[in-house]
């Protein structure tokens, strides 16, 4: 026996679209500030068309069927674009749920036998529920993408490598230094050493709130990697509290050149590349 | 059998590793190099690894060996051009290659070698205590 | 949950196969967009493990798998050999421990370079080591 519901959906898709669109309007799901009426209509029509095209007797009960991939794509696309545009979850969820209402309404108008109506409605229900779960999952994924991108941006911003002199780089570290951050610091620093041909890197930790064995280990790793590149590394900005913790924790920094301030680190660096800073007025030689 | 060519430039030996190393090749390089140091009485060895994309513990050890062996034959070794990714990996692996002199590129490596050798001639002091590891 | 997206295998019988394996791993890692540093770490770890395989078991097979967990993609390498096995895994995983003439960095070093490391070994039957490096790990 041919499935009633499938037949109806295929035959009545225009009517369903009208119903659905009506529902969307009533649900306040239409945010004209975020999406135009016209766009929303095109989106909805595309979805209905591919839904009507892909649904068949065989896949009706199986939402995982490959036939629905196109619909899943459209739904994911809609959900992601909505997440990024700033729709609320309710508004996004209502999009699919209002389609369900439209489908159920159409079925109830077309099918007269209550038993058939009930079974078909249940099936439509479970299929559409699965679709709305997809929407929700992708909606959250879209939001997570936004968060991830921001995280990336923050890490990018917070590890600048500054060329302070020909052959001298400075890297002010602000915030805690965990292993993924160290990775980024090292990559940026070593890359910059190659690009600028620098021979000295100053790691300023004035902005690091606290130091523990792990952070110290990360610092030592960075120093070792810098040396492997053929550059020397100076750690500056050692505050008294940090000096105290370093000693109390028994961290060995004796292999590393450490300075209290960035200024004295720079002075040391000048010395290492045999430069001298002099006051102009006093040098009357020239 | 595959071999990595070693060039002689005055008092120095120059090795540019252009191929992917496997263990046998690295071992051959080690023995070839020390032979050459003796043959030409070289004062410095410069190993350019800028084309090497992987250094694992074995190759790290070979580099260390070359450096130490040359040292006791009175030649300095400088490794130049290590790629950032390789440096980070070595440190993460737990092999910071202490005691090996590194330089950014061949030019800097030559400068470093020259400075070490003139220093040796001027006074026989140990230039850096960490070298002896 | 880890899903396997793609599979490949390289059999290891001699030292030169190491280079083949490195290149193959690099190809796959590049395909999923892994950064250069993570690629280098993964390939270095692979290099260590293949050396052990050749040294103690005279070779074996390395399965390369592209895996995905949630939103993260990664490369998983499984080293399977039919060698003598490892008597004391805890000892073998310790820094500086070696039964051969080496630095003893192979196993512990490889573990530090990857995100996931699993080792199973039966004496006289063989060793299976599985390592995973995530794209952004």
């Amino acid at each position: 026996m041919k499935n009633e519901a499938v037949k109806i959906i295929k035959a009545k898709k225009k009517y369903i679209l009208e119903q659905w669109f009506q529902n969307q309007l009533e649900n306040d799901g239409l945010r004209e500030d975020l999406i135009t009426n016209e766009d929303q209509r095109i989106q909805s029509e595309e979805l209905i068309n591919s839904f009507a095209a892909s649904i068949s007797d065989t896949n009706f009960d199986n939402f995982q069927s490959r036939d629905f991939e196109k619909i899943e794509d459209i739904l994911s696309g809609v959900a992601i674009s909505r997440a990024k545009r700033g729709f609320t979850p309710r508004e996004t969820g209502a999009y699919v749920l209002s389609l369900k209402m439209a489908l159920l309404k159409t079925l109830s108008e077309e099918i007269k036998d209550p038993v058939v109506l009930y079974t078909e409605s249940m099936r439509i229900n479970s299929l559409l529920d699965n679709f709305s779960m997809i929407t929700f999952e992708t909606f959250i994924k879209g939001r997570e993408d936004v968060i991830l991108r921001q995280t990336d941006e923050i890490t990018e911003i917070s590890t600048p490598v500054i060329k302070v002199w020909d052959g001298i780089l400075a890297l002010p570290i602000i915030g805690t230094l965990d292993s993924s951050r160290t990775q980024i610091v090292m990559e940026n620093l070593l890359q910059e050493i190659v690009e600028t041909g620098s021979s000295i890197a100053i790691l300023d930790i004035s902005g690091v709130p606290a130091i523990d064995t792990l952070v110290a280990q990360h610092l030592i790793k960075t120093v070792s990697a810098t040396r492997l590149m053929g550059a020397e590394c100076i750690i500056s900005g050692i505050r008294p509290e940090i000096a105290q913790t370093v000693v109390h924790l028994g961290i060995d920094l004796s292999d590393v050149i450490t300075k209290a301030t960035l200024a004295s680190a720079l002075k040391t660096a000048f010395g290492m590349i045999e430069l001298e800073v002099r006051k102009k007025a006093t040098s009357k030689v020239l | 059998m595959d071999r990595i060519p070693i060039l002689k430039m005055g008092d120095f030996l120059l090795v540019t590793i252009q191929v992917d190393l496997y263990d046998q090749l690295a071992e051959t390089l080690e023995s070839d190099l020390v032979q050459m140091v003796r043959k030409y009485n070289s004062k410095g060895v410069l190993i350019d690894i800028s084309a090497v994309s992987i250094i694992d513990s074995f190759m790290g050890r070979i580099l260390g060996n070359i450096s130490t062996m040359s040292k006791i034959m009175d030649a300095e070794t400088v490794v130049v051009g290590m790629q950032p990714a390789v440096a980070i990996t070595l440190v993460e692996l737990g092999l910071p290659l202490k005691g090996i002199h590194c330089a950014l590129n061949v030019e800097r490596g030559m400068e470093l070698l020259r400075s070490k050798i003139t220093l040796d001639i001027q006074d026989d002091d140990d230039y850096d205590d960490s070298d002896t590891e | 949950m880890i899903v396997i997206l793609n599979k490949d295998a390289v059999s290891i019988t001699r030292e030169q196969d190491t280079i083949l394996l490195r290149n193959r791993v690099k190809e796959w890692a590049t395909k999923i967009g892994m950064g250069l540093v993570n690629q280098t770490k993964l390939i270095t770890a692979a290099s260590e493990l293949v050396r052990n395989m050749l040294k103690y078991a005279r070779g074996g097979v390395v399965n390369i798998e592209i895996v995905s967990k949630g939103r993260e993609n990664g490369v998983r390498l499984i080293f399977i050999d039919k060698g003598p096995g490892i008597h004391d895994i805890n000892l073998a995983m310790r820094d500086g421990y070696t039964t051969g003439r080496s630095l003893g960095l192979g196993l512990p070093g490889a573990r530090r370079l990857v995100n996931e490391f699993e080792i199973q070994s039966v004496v006289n039957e063989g060793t299976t080591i599985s390592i995973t490096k995530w794209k952004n790990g």
Side-chain angles (χ1 to χ4, degrees), chain A residues 73-90:
Chain A
D73 283 351
I74 298 174
L75 282 175
S76 312
V78 169
I80 283 196
S81 77
R82 288 185 170 217
K84 286 183 181 157
R85 283 183 201 186
F87 278 82
T88 64
R90 171 184 284 272

Side-chain angles (χ1 to χ4, degrees), chain B residues 21 23-24 56-57 93, chain C residues 15 22 47-48 51 112:
Chain B
L21 282 175
D23 298 0
Q24 186 60 48
D56 64 7
S57 66
L93 185 69
Chain C
E15 246 180 43
R22 283 186 210 153
S47 198
E48 300 287 350
R51 174 168 308 108
R112 279 193 290 269

